Amino acid sequence: MVLSRGWSLFLVGVGVWTWVIWPRFAVAIWQDPRSWASGTVADGAATSFLWVHALLIAASLAIGTTAGVLGVRAWLATRRRQPS
């Protein structure tokens, strides 16, 4: 499959956006009292609220990274196809 430069840039943008947004969300979830059994940040056992969001964040980062890598590879492939 051959992607256009526009779609390649879109995929790279998705990868960058993912790495800008999700780590900030991870910090917010970590600091949320609902993440901890005691209600105090980083004190006590982690709740299912934290674990579910951690899984969501990890999956989103993996998908975003994959999209970004595919975008970079597609961009490089379009450069190789064009005559100099």
Side-chain angles (χ1 to χ4, degrees), residues 17-32 34-35 49-50 52-58 60-61:
W17 175 258
T18 299
W19 279 96
V20 168
I21 294 302
W22 286 104
R24 293 177 57 154
F25 184 66
V27 171
I29 293 299
W30 182 267
Q31 294 174 348
D32 193 317
R34 294 175 291 178
S35 296
F49 177 83
L50 177 66
V52 167
H53 284 88
L55 182 61
L56 172 69
I57 291 164
S60 296
L61 287 173

Side-chain angles (χ1 to χ4, degrees), residues 29-48:
I29 293 299
W30 182 267
Q31 294 174 348
D32 193 317
R34 294 175 291 178
S35 296
W36 306 100
S38 68
T40 304
V41 175
D43 183 34
T47 64
S48 57

